[in-house]
Amino acid sequence: MENQFIETPENYADALKEIDVLMSAEPGASKGRRLEILVDLVQKYEAKHFPMNLRTEADEGLPIDEEIPGRPSATSNRAH
């Protein structure tokens, strides 16, 4: 993938394929640097096209730490 932008689903798919190939690159090496750039670009694309807003409009009145029925609580994974 030569493009320094991910603008289309095809660019996104190409970037993911290249990331898969580059996963074995040494950090800091030229291939490792390319991997870092691609990961940043993919993260920006995903944030724009696949936002992960876990709170809904119905949740807006609830404090952020209050348990929401049907969802795991923030404290359920803490070690005792």
Side-chain angles (χ1 to χ4, degrees):
M1 180 180 163
E2 298 299 319
N3 193 351
Q4 290 297 312
F5 300 97
I6 298 176
E7 299 171 332
T8 66
E10 293 79 15
N11 295 151
Y12 176 67
D14 290 343
L16 292 177
K17 288 176 189 173
E18 189 171 347
I19 287 170
D20 191 43
V21 170
L22 294 172
M23 287 300 292
S24 62
E26 292 289 326
S30 63
K31 288 182 180 181
R33 181 69 185 128
R34 178 69 179 155
L35 176 61
E36 292 172 9
I37 291 167
L38 283 172
V39 167
D40 287 342
L41 292 171
V42 164
Q43 287 176 334
K44 289 176 184 174
Y45 181 88
E46 288 176 343
K48 181 177 179 181
H49 295 279
F50 309 111
M52 294 188 62
N53 183 2
L54 299 178
R55 291 179 63 85
T56 66
E57 287 182 26
D59 301 333
E60 289 305 315
L62 298 173
I64 201 75
D65 60 346
E66 186 172 323
E67 287 189 29
I68 300 170
R71 295 191 186 166
S73 76
T75 59
S76 64
N77 293 331
R78 291 185 186 163
H80 296 284

